[in-house]
PDB file of all heavy atoms in Angstrom:
ATOM      1  N   LEU A1075     -26.234 -21.867   4.362  1.00 98.00           N
ATOM      2  CA  LEU A1075     -27.242 -20.908   4.806  1.00 98.00           C
ATOM      3  C   LEU A1075     -27.890 -20.213   3.609  1.00 98.00           C
ATOM      4  O   LEU A1075     -29.122 -20.096   3.526  1.00 98.00           O
ATOM      5  CB  LEU A1075     -26.596 -19.864   5.739  1.00 98.00           C
ATOM      6  CG  LEU A1075     -27.520 -18.733   6.215  1.00 98.00           C
ATOM      7  CD1 LEU A1075     -28.668 -19.277   7.061  1.00 98.00           C
ATOM      8  CD2 LEU A1075     -26.724 -17.698   7.009  1.00 98.00           C
ATOM      9  N   ARG A1076     -27.082 -19.774   2.659  1.00 98.00           N
ATOM     10  CA  ARG A1076     -27.606 -19.070   1.482  1.00 98.00           C
ATOM     11  C   ARG A1076     -28.544 -19.973   0.678  1.00 98.00           C
ATOM     12  O   ARG A1076     -29.576 -19.527   0.175  1.00 98.00           O
ATOM     13  CB  ARG A1076     -26.462 -18.574   0.595  1.00 98.00           C
ATOM     14  CG  ARG A1076     -25.589 -17.533   1.275  1.00 98.00           C
ATOM     15  CD  ARG A1076     -24.517 -17.021   0.346  1.00 98.00           C
ATOM     16  NE  ARG A1076     -25.062 -16.008  -0.541  1.00 98.00           N
ATOM     17  CZ  ARG A1076     -25.061 -14.701  -0.275  1.00 98.00           C
ATOM     18  NH1 ARG A1076     -24.534 -14.268   0.853  1.00 98.00           N
ATOM     19  NH2 ARG A1076     -25.577 -13.849  -1.114  1.00 98.00           N
ATOM     20  N   LYS A1077     -28.150 -21.239   0.561  1.00 98.00           N
ATOM     21  CA  LYS A1077     -29.002 -22.201  -0.176  1.00 98.00           C
ATOM     22  C   LYS A1077     -30.377 -22.321   0.477  1.00 98.00           C
ATOM     23  O   LYS A1077     -31.388 -22.499  -0.210  1.00 98.00           O
ATOM     24  CB  LYS A1077     -28.345 -23.581  -0.160  1.00 98.00           C
ATOM     25  CG  LYS A1077     -27.249 -23.785  -1.182  1.00 98.00           C
ATOM     26  CD  LYS A1077     -26.751 -25.213  -1.008  1.00 98.00           C
ATOM     27  CE  LYS A1077     -25.718 -25.584  -2.028  1.00 98.00           C
ATOM     28  NZ  LYS A1077     -25.189 -26.939  -1.797  1.00 98.00           N
ATOM     29  N   SER A1078     -30.398 -22.261   1.795  1.00 97.00           N
ATOM     30  CA  SER A1078     -31.679 -22.406   2.503  1.00 97.00           C
ATOM     31  C   SER A1078     -32.549 -21.157   2.356  1.00 97.00           C
ATOM     32  O   SER A1078     -33.758 -21.209   2.523  1.00 97.00           O
ATOM     33  CB  SER A1078     -31.439 -22.712   3.979  1.00 97.00           C
ATOM     34  OG  SER A1078     -30.898 -21.581   4.634  1.00 97.00           O
ATOM     35  N   LEU A1079     -31.913 -20.019   2.046  1.00 97.00           N
ATOM     36  CA  LEU A1079     -32.652 -18.755   1.935  1.00 97.00           C
ATOM     37  C   LEU A1079     -33.148 -18.472   0.523  1.00 97.00           C
ATOM     38  O   LEU A1079     -34.261 -17.980   0.327  1.00 97.00           O
ATOM     39  CB  LEU A1079     -31.761 -17.584   2.384  1.00 97.00           C
ATOM     40  CG  LEU A1079     -31.348 -17.568   3.858  1.00 97.00           C
ATOM     41  CD1 LEU A1079     -30.307 -16.489   4.101  1.00 97.00           C
ATOM     42  CD2 LEU A1079     -32.560 -17.356   4.751  1.00 97.00           C
ATOM     43  N   ILE A1080     -32.280 -18.748  -0.475  1.00 97.00           N
ATOM     44  CA  ILE A1080     -32.654 -18.449  -1.863  1.00 97.00           C
ATOM     45  C   ILE A1080     -32.530 -19.711  -2.714  1.00 97.00           C
ATOM     46  O   ILE A1080     -31.421 -20.197  -2.959  1.00 97.00           O
ATOM     47  CB  ILE A1080     -31.763 -17.326  -2.456  1.00 97.00           C
ATOM     48  CG1 ILE A1080     -31.912 -16.041  -1.628  1.00 97.00           C
ATOM     49  CG2 ILE A1080     -32.125 -17.050  -3.919  1.00 97.00           C
ATOM     50  CD1 ILE A1080     -31.006 -14.909  -2.044  1.00 97.00           C
ATOM     51  N   PRO A1081     -33.651 -20.281  -3.157  1.00 97.00           N
ATOM     52  CA  PRO A1081     -33.589 -21.502  -3.961  1.00 97.00           C
ATOM     53  C   PRO A1081     -32.930 -21.255  -5.325  1.00 97.00           C
ATOM     54  O   PRO A1081     -32.974 -20.137  -5.852  1.00 97.00           O
ATOM     55  CB  PRO A1081     -35.058 -21.906  -4.130  1.00 97.00           C
ATOM     56  CG  PRO A1081     -35.862 -20.720  -3.752  1.00 97.00           C
ATOM     57  CD  PRO A1081     -35.019 -19.829  -2.908  1.00 97.00           C
ATOM     58  N   THR A1082     -32.331 -22.288  -5.883  1.00 98.00           N
ATOM     59  CA  THR A1082     -31.626 -22.152  -7.170  1.00 98.00           C
ATOM     60  C   THR A1082     -32.554 -21.642  -8.267  1.00 98.00           C
ATOM     61  O   THR A1082     -32.139 -20.889  -9.135  1.00 98.00           O
ATOM     62  CB  THR A1082     -31.000 -23.488  -7.613  1.00 98.00           C
ATOM     63  OG1 THR A1082     -32.001 -24.488  -7.600  1.00 98.00           O
ATOM     64  CG2 THR A1082     -29.880 -23.911  -6.695  1.00 98.00           C
ATOM     65  N   LYS A1083     -33.822 -22.044  -8.209  1.00 98.00           N
ATOM     66  CA  LYS A1083     -34.791 -21.617  -9.231  1.00 98.00           C
ATOM     67  C   LYS A1083     -34.888 -20.094  -9.267  1.00 98.00           C
ATOM     68  O   LYS A1083     -34.986 -19.484 -10.335  1.00 98.00           O
ATOM     69  CB  LYS A1083     -36.158 -22.229  -8.902  1.00 98.00           C
ATOM     70  CG  LYS A1083     -37.087 -22.338 -10.073  1.00 98.00           C
ATOM     71  CD  LYS A1083     -36.812 -23.585 -10.909  1.00 98.00           C
ATOM     72  CE  LYS A1083     -37.262 -23.405 -12.334  1.00 98.00           C
ATOM     73  NZ  LYS A1083     -36.258 -23.738 -13.332  1.00 98.00           N
ATOM     74  N   GLN A1084     -34.861 -19.502  -8.091  1.00 98.00           N
ATOM     75  CA  GLN A1084     -34.956 -18.037  -7.990  1.00 98.00           C
ATOM     76  C   GLN A1084     -33.739 -17.382  -8.666  1.00 98.00           C
ATOM     77  O   GLN A1084     -33.876 -16.374  -9.364  1.00 98.00           O
ATOM     78  CB  GLN A1084     -35.029 -17.627  -6.524  1.00 98.00           C
ATOM     79  CG  GLN A1084     -35.455 -16.184  -6.314  1.00 98.00           C
ATOM     80  CD  GLN A1084     -35.656 -15.870  -4.835  1.00 98.00           C
ATOM     81  OE1 GLN A1084     -36.123 -16.704  -4.069  1.00 98.00           O
ATOM     82  NE2 GLN A1084     -35.292 -14.665  -4.436  1.00 98.00           N
ATOM     83  N   LEU A1085     -32.564 -17.957  -8.470  1.00 98.00           N
ATOM     84  CA  LEU A1085     -31.352 -17.430  -9.103  1.00 98.00           C
ATOM     85  C   LEU A1085     -31.457 -17.568 -10.627  1.00 98.00           C
ATOM     86  O   LEU A1085     -31.136 -16.642 -11.368  1.00 98.00           O
ATOM     87  CB  LEU A1085     -30.112 -18.173  -8.598  1.00 98.00           C
ATOM     88  CG  LEU A1085     -29.755 -17.985  -7.116  1.00 98.00           C
ATOM     89  CD1 LEU A1085     -28.624 -18.926  -6.725  1.00 98.00           C
ATOM     90  CD2 LEU A1085     -29.362 -16.543  -6.810  1.00 98.00           C
ATOM     91  N   GLU A1086     -31.929 -18.736 -11.061  1.00 98.00           N
ATOM     92  CA  GLU A1086     -32.023 -19.001 -12.507  1.00 98.00           C
ATOM     93  C   GLU A1086     -33.046 -18.103 -13.193  1.00 98.00           C
ATOM     94  O   GLU A1086     -32.973 -17.869 -14.396  1.00 98.00           O
ATOM     95  CB  GLU A1086     -32.369 -20.478 -12.751  1.00 98.00           C
ATOM     96  CG  GLU A1086     -31.194 -21.404 -12.458  1.00 98.00           C
ATOM     97  CD  GLU A1086     -31.596 -22.865 -12.329  1.00 98.00           C
ATOM     98  OE1 GLU A1086     -32.819 -23.163 -12.309  1.00 98.00           O
ATOM     99  OE2 GLU A1086     -30.687 -23.715 -12.237  1.00 98.00           O
ATOM    100  N   ASN A1087     -34.009 -17.584 -12.430  1.00 98.00           N
ATOM    101  CA  ASN A1087     -35.031 -16.692 -12.997  1.00 98.00           C
ATOM    102  C   ASN A1087     -34.593 -15.228 -13.029  1.00 98.00           C
ATOM    103  O   ASN A1087     -35.336 -14.357 -13.472  1.00 98.00           O
ATOM    104  CB  ASN A1087     -36.346 -16.813 -12.206  1.00 98.00           C
ATOM    105  CG  ASN A1087     -37.038 -18.131 -12.482  1.00 98.00           C
ATOM    106  OD1 ASN A1087     -36.802 -18.752 -13.521  1.00 98.00           O
ATOM    107  ND2 ASN A1087     -37.871 -18.591 -11.558  1.00 98.00           N
ATOM    108  N   SER A1088     -33.377 -14.959 -12.535  1.00 97.00           N
ATOM    109  CA  SER A1088     -32.865 -13.586 -12.539  1.00 97.00           C
ATOM    110  C   SER A1088     -32.780 -13.054 -13.967  1.00 97.00           C
ATOM    111  O   SER A1088     -32.437 -13.766 -14.905  1.00 97.00           O
ATOM    112  CB  SER A1088     -31.472 -13.558 -11.901  1.00 97.00           C
ATOM    113  OG  SER A1088     -30.732 -12.473 -12.382  1.00 97.00           O
ATOM    114  N   VAL A1089     -33.102 -11.774 -14.117  1.00 96.00           N
ATOM    115  CA  VAL A1089     -33.033 -11.098 -15.419  1.00 96.00           C
ATOM    116  C   VAL A1089     -31.624 -11.218 -16.011  1.00 96.00           C
ATOM    117  O   VAL A1089     -31.434 -11.415 -17.202  1.00 96.00           O
ATOM    118  CB  VAL A1089     -33.397  -9.592 -15.248  1.00 96.00           C
ATOM    119  CG1 VAL A1089     -33.253  -8.852 -16.556  1.00 96.00           C
ATOM    120  CG2 VAL A1089     -34.805  -9.455 -14.711  1.00 96.00           C
ATOM    121  N   LEU A1090     -30.618 -11.117 -15.135  1.00 96.00           N
ATOM    122  CA  LEU A1090     -29.226 -11.116 -15.588  1.00 96.00           C
ATOM    123  C   LEU A1090     -28.759 -12.490 -16.078  1.00 96.00           C
ATOM    124  O   LEU A1090     -27.715 -12.601 -16.717  1.00 96.00           O
ATOM    125  CB  LEU A1090     -28.309 -10.632 -14.458  1.00 96.00           C
ATOM    126  CG  LEU A1090     -28.461  -9.161 -14.070  1.00 96.00           C
ATOM    127  CD1 LEU A1090     -27.686  -8.846 -12.811  1.00 96.00           C
ATOM    128  CD2 LEU A1090     -28.009  -8.256 -15.213  1.00 96.00           C
ATOM    129  N   PHE A1091     -29.540 -13.519 -15.780  1.00 96.00           N
ATOM    130  CA  PHE A1091     -29.161 -14.873 -16.201  1.00 96.00           C
ATOM    131  C   PHE A1091     -29.108 -15.009 -17.718  1.00 96.00           C
ATOM    132  O   PHE A1091     -28.412 -15.864 -18.246  1.00 96.00           O
ATOM    133  CB  PHE A1091     -30.146 -15.898 -15.610  1.00 96.00           C
ATOM    134  CG  PHE A1091     -29.458 -17.100 -15.034  1.00 96.00           C
ATOM    135  CD1 PHE A1091     -28.918 -17.067 -13.762  1.00 96.00           C
ATOM    136  CD2 PHE A1091     -29.339 -18.275 -15.767  1.00 96.00           C
ATOM    137  CE1 PHE A1091     -28.258 -18.166 -13.221  1.00 96.00           C
ATOM    138  CE2 PHE A1091     -28.690 -19.379 -15.242  1.00 96.00           C
ATOM    139  CZ  PHE A1091     -28.148 -19.328 -13.962  1.00 96.00           C
ATOM    140  N   GLU A1092     -29.845 -14.151 -18.406  1.00 92.00           N
ATOM    141  CA  GLU A1092     -29.917 -14.236 -19.872  1.00 92.00           C
ATOM    142  C   GLU A1092     -28.908 -13.339 -20.585  1.00 92.00           C
ATOM    143  O   GLU A1092     -28.938 -13.195 -21.798  1.00 92.00           O
ATOM    144  CB  GLU A1092     -31.339 -13.860 -20.343  1.00 92.00           C
ATOM    145  CG  GLU A1092     -32.443 -14.732 -19.754  1.00 92.00           C
ATOM    146  CD  GLU A1092     -32.195 -16.216 -19.958  1.00 92.00           C
ATOM    147  OE1 GLU A1092     -31.824 -16.613 -21.080  1.00 92.00           O
ATOM    148  OE2 GLU A1092     -32.358 -16.977 -18.975  1.00 92.00           O
ATOM    149  N   ARG A1093     -28.026 -12.686 -19.818  1.00 92.00           N
ATOM    150  CA  ARG A1093     -27.063 -11.774 -20.442  1.00 92.00           C
ATOM    151  C   ARG A1093     -26.163 -12.476 -21.451  1.00 92.00           C
ATOM    152  O   ARG A1093     -25.820 -13.638 -21.296  1.00 92.00           O
ATOM    153  CB  ARG A1093     -26.165 -11.130 -19.374  1.00 92.00           C
ATOM    154  CG  ARG A1093     -26.812  -9.990 -18.638  1.00 92.00           C
ATOM    155  CD  ARG A1093     -25.871  -9.376 -17.619  1.00 92.00           C
ATOM    156  NE  ARG A1093     -24.721  -8.772 -18.276  1.00 92.00           N
ATOM    157  CZ  ARG A1093     -23.488  -9.247 -18.193  1.00 92.00           C
ATOM    158  NH1 ARG A1093     -23.212 -10.331 -17.518  1.00 92.00           N
ATOM    159  NH2 ARG A1093     -22.508  -8.627 -18.816  1.00 92.00           N
ATOM    160  N   GLN A1094     -25.741 -11.700 -22.455  1.00 91.00           N
ATOM    161  CA  GLN A1094     -24.793 -12.218 -23.445  1.00 91.00           C
ATOM    162  C   GLN A1094     -23.438 -12.449 -22.795  1.00 91.00           C
ATOM    163  O   GLN A1094     -23.043 -11.721 -21.891  1.00 91.00           O
ATOM    164  CB  GLN A1094     -24.621 -11.191 -24.586  1.00 91.00           C
ATOM    165  CG  GLN A1094     -25.819 -11.080 -25.510  1.00 91.00           C
ATOM    166  CD  GLN A1094     -26.053 -12.353 -26.316  1.00 91.00           C
ATOM    167  OE1 GLN A1094     -25.195 -12.821 -27.026  1.00 91.00           O
ATOM    168  NE2 GLN A1094     -27.248 -12.918 -26.163  1.00 91.00           N
ATOM    169  N   GLU A1095     -22.733 -13.450 -23.301  1.00 92.00           N
ATOM    170  CA  GLU A1095     -21.391 -13.743 -22.793  1.00 92.00           C
ATOM    171  C   GLU A1095     -20.461 -12.549 -23.040  1.00 92.00           C
ATOM    172  O   GLU A1095     -20.520 -11.906 -24.084  1.00 92.00           O
ATOM    173  CB  GLU A1095     -20.859 -14.980 -23.534  1.00 92.00           C
ATOM    174  CG  GLU A1095     -19.658 -15.604 -22.892  1.00 92.00           C
ATOM    175  CD  GLU A1095     -19.310 -16.948 -23.546  1.00 92.00           C
ATOM    176  OE1 GLU A1095     -20.143 -17.520 -24.283  1.00 92.00           O
ATOM    177  OE2 GLU A1095     -18.193 -17.402 -23.309  1.00 92.00           O
ATOM    178  N   ASN A1096     -19.630 -12.243 -22.054  1.00 97.00           N
ATOM    179  CA  ASN A1096     -18.696 -11.124 -22.175  1.00 97.00           C
ATOM    180  C   ASN A1096     -17.344 -11.608 -21.644  1.00 97.00           C
ATOM    181  O   ASN A1096     -17.078 -11.554 -20.447  1.00 97.00           O
ATOM    182  CB  ASN A1096     -19.226  -9.933 -21.354  1.00 97.00           C
ATOM    183  CG  ASN A1096     -18.463  -8.657 -21.636  1.00 97.00           C
ATOM    184  OD1 ASN A1096     -17.602  -8.612 -22.506  1.00 97.00           O
ATOM    185  ND2 ASN A1096     -18.768  -7.614 -20.886  1.00 97.00           N
ATOM    186  N   SER A1097     -16.515 -12.109 -22.540  1.00 98.00           N
ATOM    187  CA  SER A1097     -15.324 -12.849 -22.128  1.00 98.00           C
ATOM    188  C   SER A1097     -14.147 -11.965 -21.712  1.00 98.00           C
ATOM    189  O   SER A1097     -13.662 -11.153 -22.490  1.00 98.00           O
ATOM    190  CB  SER A1097     -14.876 -13.766 -23.277  1.00 98.00           C
ATOM    191  OG  SER A1097     -13.608 -14.316 -23.000  1.00 98.00           O
ATOM    192  N   LEU A1098     -13.694 -12.170 -20.480  1.00 98.00           N
ATOM    193  CA  LEU A1098     -12.500 -11.475 -20.000  1.00 98.00           C
ATOM    194  C   LEU A1098     -11.255 -12.013 -20.715  1.00 98.00           C
ATOM    195  O   LEU A1098     -10.352 -11.243 -21.054  1.00 98.00           O
ATOM    196  CB  LEU A1098     -12.354 -11.647 -18.483  1.00 98.00           C
ATOM    197  CG  LEU A1098     -11.091 -11.041 -17.858  1.00 98.00           C
ATOM    198  CD1 LEU A1098     -11.037  -9.530 -18.058  1.00 98.00           C
ATOM    199  CD2 LEU A1098     -11.007 -11.372 -16.369  1.00 98.00           C
ATOM    200  N   ALA A1099     -11.227 -13.314 -20.945  1.00 98.00           N
ATOM    201  CA  ALA A1099     -10.066 -13.922 -21.619  1.00 98.00           C
ATOM    202  C   ALA A1099      -9.848 -13.279 -22.988  1.00 98.00           C
ATOM    203  O   ALA A1099      -8.714 -12.928 -23.350  1.00 98.00           O
ATOM    204  CB  ALA A1099     -10.262 -15.435 -21.765  1.00 98.00           C
ATOM    205  N   ASN A1100     -10.925 -13.067 -23.740  1.00 98.00           N
ATOM    206  CA  ASN A1100     -10.812 -12.426 -25.060  1.00 98.00           C
ATOM    207  C   ASN A1100     -10.349 -10.981 -24.936  1.00 98.00           C
ATOM    208  O   ASN A1100      -9.519 -10.511 -25.715  1.00 98.00           O
ATOM    209  CB  ASN A1100     -12.152 -12.477 -25.808  1.00 98.00           C
ATOM    210  CG  ASN A1100     -12.485 -13.893 -26.267  1.00 98.00           C
ATOM    211  OD1 ASN A1100     -11.628 -14.771 -26.248  1.00 98.00           O
ATOM    212  ND2 ASN A1100     -13.736 -14.117 -26.649  1.00 98.00           N
ATOM    213  N   ALA A1101     -10.897 -10.284 -23.921  1.00 98.00           N
ATOM    214  CA  ALA A1101     -10.503  -8.876 -23.700  1.00 98.00           C
ATOM    215  C   ALA A1101      -9.006  -8.784 -23.398  1.00 98.00           C
ATOM    216  O   ALA A1101      -8.317  -7.894 -23.887  1.00 98.00           O
ATOM    217  CB  ALA A1101     -11.320  -8.278 -22.557  1.00 98.00           C
ATOM    218  N   LEU A1102      -8.491  -9.727 -22.616  1.00 98.00           N
ATOM    219  CA  LEU A1102      -7.059  -9.715 -22.269  1.00 98.00           C
ATOM    220  C   LEU A1102      -6.195 -10.034 -23.485  1.00 98.00           C
ATOM    221  O   LEU A1102      -5.133  -9.434 -23.677  1.00 98.00           O
ATOM    222  CB  LEU A1102      -6.775 -10.726 -21.149  1.00 98.00           C
ATOM    223  CG  LEU A1102      -7.353 -10.391 -19.769  1.00 98.00           C
ATOM    224  CD1 LEU A1102      -7.125 -11.547 -18.804  1.00 98.00           C
ATOM    225  CD2 LEU A1102      -6.768  -9.108 -19.209  1.00 98.00           C
ATOM    226  N   ARG A1103      -6.657 -10.969 -24.311  1.00 97.00           N
ATOM    227  CA  ARG A1103      -5.890 -11.330 -25.515  1.00 97.00           C
ATOM    228  C   ARG A1103      -5.731 -10.138 -26.456  1.00 97.00           C
ATOM    229  O   ARG A1103      -4.723  -9.997 -27.130  1.00 97.00           O
ATOM    230  CB  ARG A1103      -6.605 -12.469 -26.272  1.00 97.00           C
ATOM    231  CG  ARG A1103      -6.358 -13.837 -25.684  1.00 97.00           C
ATOM    232  CD  ARG A1103      -6.839 -14.942 -26.621  1.00 97.00           C
ATOM    233  NE  ARG A1103      -6.815 -16.224 -25.929  1.00 97.00           N
ATOM    234  CZ  ARG A1103      -7.879 -16.800 -25.357  1.00 97.00           C
ATOM    235  NH1 ARG A1103      -9.057 -16.195 -25.400  1.00 97.00           N
ATOM    236  NH2 ARG A1103      -7.766 -17.957 -24.750  1.00 97.00           N
ATOM    237  N   GLU A1104      -6.765  -9.297 -26.496  1.00 97.00           N
ATOM    238  CA  GLU A1104      -6.761  -8.180 -27.445  1.00 97.00           C
ATOM    239  C   GLU A1104      -6.175  -6.896 -26.853  1.00 97.00           C
ATOM    240  O   GLU A1104      -6.044  -5.890 -27.546  1.00 97.00           O
ATOM    241  CB  GLU A1104      -8.206  -7.908 -27.903  1.00 97.00           C
ATOM    242  CG  GLU A1104      -8.753  -9.027 -28.790  1.00 97.00           C
ATOM    243  CD  GLU A1104     -10.275  -9.034 -28.864  1.00 97.00           C
ATOM    244  OE1 GLU A1104     -10.897  -8.020 -28.455  1.00 97.00           O
ATOM    245  OE2 GLU A1104     -10.839 -10.051 -29.315  1.00 97.00           O
ATOM    246  N   SER A1105      -5.801  -6.917 -25.585  1.00 96.00           N
ATOM    247  CA  SER A1105      -5.364  -5.699 -24.898  1.00 96.00           C
ATOM    248  C   SER A1105      -3.848  -5.555 -24.889  1.00 96.00           C
ATOM    249  O   SER A1105      -3.118  -6.534 -24.931  1.00 96.00           O
ATOM    250  CB  SER A1105      -5.871  -5.736 -23.454  1.00 96.00           C
ATOM    251  OG  SER A1105      -5.299  -4.693 -22.710  1.00 96.00           O
ATOM    252  N   THR A1106      -3.402  -4.305 -24.825  1.00 91.00           N
ATOM    253  CA  THR A1106      -1.960  -4.065 -24.696  1.00 91.00           C
ATOM    254  C   THR A1106      -1.570  -3.848 -23.233  1.00 91.00           C
ATOM    255  O   THR A1106      -0.397  -3.915 -22.881  1.00 91.00           O
ATOM    256  CB  THR A1106      -1.540  -2.800 -25.486  1.00 91.00           C
ATOM    257  OG1 THR A1106      -2.394  -1.723 -25.076  1.00 91.00           O
ATOM    258  CG2 THR A1106      -1.666  -3.020 -26.980  1.00 91.00           C
ATOM    259  N   THR A1107      -2.571  -3.617 -22.375  1.00 94.00           N
ATOM    260  CA  THR A1107      -2.258  -3.352 -20.959  1.00 94.00           C
ATOM    261  C   THR A1107      -2.616  -4.540 -20.060  1.00 94.00           C
ATOM    262  O   THR A1107      -1.881  -4.851 -19.126  1.00 94.00           O
ATOM    263  CB  THR A1107      -3.019  -2.107 -20.455  1.00 94.00           C
ATOM    264  OG1 THR A1107      -4.424  -2.352 -20.581  1.00 94.00           O
ATOM    265  CG2 THR A1107      -2.634  -0.879 -21.250  1.00 94.00           C
ATOM    266  N   GLY A1108      -3.753  -5.176 -20.317  1.00 97.00           N
ATOM    267  CA  GLY A1108      -4.130  -6.373 -19.561  1.00 97.00           C
ATOM    268  C   GLY A1108      -4.519  -6.144 -18.114  1.00 97.00           C
ATOM    269  O   GLY A1108      -4.469  -7.056 -17.293  1.00 97.00           O
ATOM    270  N   ILE A1109      -4.940  -4.928 -17.797  1.00 98.00           N
ATOM    271  CA  ILE A1109      -5.243  -4.635 -16.389  1.00 98.00           C
ATOM    272  C   ILE A1109      -6.634  -5.149 -15.985  1.00 98.00           C
ATOM    273  O   ILE A1109      -7.633  -4.840 -16.617  1.00 98.00           O
ATOM    274  CB  ILE A1109      -5.185  -3.116 -16.088  1.00 98.00           C
ATOM    275  CG1 ILE A1109      -3.839  -2.513 -16.487  1.00 98.00           C
ATOM    276  CG2 ILE A1109      -5.492  -2.842 -14.619  1.00 98.00           C
ATOM    277  CD1 ILE A1109      -2.670  -2.917 -15.648  1.00 98.00           C
ATOM    278  N   ILE A1110      -6.651  -5.941 -14.910  1.00 98.00           N
ATOM    279  CA  ILE A1110      -7.909  -6.305 -14.246  1.00 98.00           C
ATOM    280  C   ILE A1110      -7.852  -5.561 -12.917  1.00 98.00           C
ATOM    281  O   ILE A1110      -6.990  -5.834 -12.078  1.00 98.00           O
ATOM    282  CB  ILE A1110      -8.002  -7.826 -13.979  1.00 98.00           C
ATOM    283  CG1 ILE A1110      -7.783  -8.629 -15.266  1.00 98.00           C
ATOM    284  CG2 ILE A1110      -9.353  -8.177 -13.355  1.00 98.00           C
ATOM    285  CD1 ILE A1110      -7.407 -10.088 -15.020  1.00 98.00           C
ATOM    286  N   ALA A1111      -8.722  -4.586 -12.748  1.00 98.00           N
ATOM    287  CA  ALA A1111      -8.667  -3.741 -11.547  1.00 98.00           C
ATOM    288  C   ALA A1111      -9.669  -4.261 -10.515  1.00 98.00           C
ATOM    289  O   ALA A1111     -10.751  -4.719 -10.870  1.00 98.00           O
ATOM    290  CB  ALA A1111      -8.980  -2.292 -11.921  1.00 98.00           C
ATOM    291  N   GLU A1112      -9.283  -4.170  -9.266  1.00 96.00           N
ATOM    292  CA  GLU A1112     -10.092  -4.803  -8.224  1.00 96.00           C
ATOM    293  C   GLU A1112     -10.791  -3.798  -7.316  1.00 96.00           C
ATOM    294  O   GLU A1112     -10.273  -2.713  -7.057  1.00 96.00           O
ATOM    295  CB  GLU A1112      -9.179  -5.703  -7.380  1.00 96.00           C
ATOM    296  CG  GLU A1112      -9.934  -6.638  -6.444  1.00 96.00           C
ATOM    297  CD  GLU A1112      -9.118  -7.876  -6.133  1.00 96.00           C
ATOM    298  OE1 GLU A1112      -8.267  -7.822  -5.218  1.00 96.00           O
ATOM    299  OE2 GLU A1112      -9.312  -8.896  -6.813  1.00 96.00           O
ATOM    300  N   HIS A1113     -11.969  -4.221  -6.843  1.00 96.00           N
ATOM    301  CA  HIS A1113     -12.650  -3.471  -5.780  1.00 96.00           C
ATOM    302  C   HIS A1113     -12.533  -4.301  -4.508  1.00 96.00           C
ATOM    303  O   HIS A1113     -13.050  -5.399  -4.429  1.00 96.00           O
ATOM    304  CB  HIS A1113     -14.124  -3.246  -6.124  1.00 96.00           C
ATOM    305  CG  HIS A1113     -14.867  -2.527  -5.036  1.00 96.00           C
ATOM    306  ND1 HIS A1113     -15.550  -3.187  -4.034  1.00 96.00           N
ATOM    307  CD2 HIS A1113     -15.003  -1.202  -4.762  1.00 96.00           C
ATOM    308  CE1 HIS A1113     -16.086  -2.295  -3.207  1.00 96.00           C
ATOM    309  NE2 HIS A1113     -15.778  -1.089  -3.625  1.00 96.00           N
ATOM    310  N   LYS A1114     -11.817  -3.746  -3.530  1.00 93.00           N
ATOM    311  CA  LYS A1114     -11.577  -4.491  -2.289  1.00 93.00           C
ATOM    312  C   LYS A1114     -11.556  -3.512  -1.122  1.00 93.00           C
ATOM    313  O   LYS A1114     -10.759  -2.594  -1.099  1.00 93.00           O
ATOM    314  CB  LYS A1114     -10.245  -5.241  -2.412  1.00 93.00           C
ATOM    315  CG  LYS A1114      -9.835  -5.977  -1.162  1.00 93.00           C
ATOM    316  CD  LYS A1114      -8.832  -7.105  -1.420  1.00 93.00           C
ATOM    317  CE  LYS A1114      -7.488  -6.657  -1.896  1.00 93.00           C
ATOM    318  NZ  LYS A1114      -6.505  -7.767  -1.909  1.00 93.00           N
ATOM    319  N   ARG A1115     -12.462  -3.712  -0.157  1.00 93.00           N
ATOM    320  CA  ARG A1115     -12.535  -2.789   0.992  1.00 93.00           C
ATOM    321  C   ARG A1115     -11.484  -3.099   2.055  1.00 93.00           C
ATOM    322  O   ARG A1115     -10.904  -2.217   2.647  1.00 93.00           O
ATOM    323  CB  ARG A1115     -13.926  -2.861   1.633  1.00 93.00           C
ATOM    324  CG  ARG A1115     -15.016  -2.301   0.761  1.00 93.00           C
ATOM    325  CD  ARG A1115     -16.329  -2.196   1.530  1.00 93.00           C
ATOM    326  NE  ARG A1115     -17.371  -1.650   0.657  1.00 93.00           N
ATOM    327  CZ  ARG A1115     -18.114  -2.390  -0.155  1.00 93.00           C
ATOM    328  NH1 ARG A1115     -17.927  -3.696  -0.198  1.00 93.00           N
ATOM    329  NH2 ARG A1115     -19.031  -1.834  -0.921  1.00 93.00           N
TER     330      ARG A1115
END
Side-chain angles (χ1 to χ4, degrees):
L1075 176 63
R1076 296 183 81 91
K1077 279 181 176 177
S1078 69
L1079 295 171
I1080 300 175
T1082 53
K1083 203 83 205 129
Q1084 194 174 324
L1085 294 172
E1086 287 165 352
N1087 288 337
S1088 154
V1089 177
L1090 292 171
F1091 225 82
E1092 302 307 315
R1093 281 181 64 249
Q1094 288 294 303
E1095 195 171 345
N1096 191 5
S1097 170
L1098 176 62
N1100 289 347
L1102 291 174
R1103 280 192 190 98
E1104 290 160 14
S1105 171
T1106 52
T1107 61
I1109 305 290
I1110 306 161
E1112 192 154 84
H1113 178 267
K1114 176 159 66 171
R1115 292 189 180 86

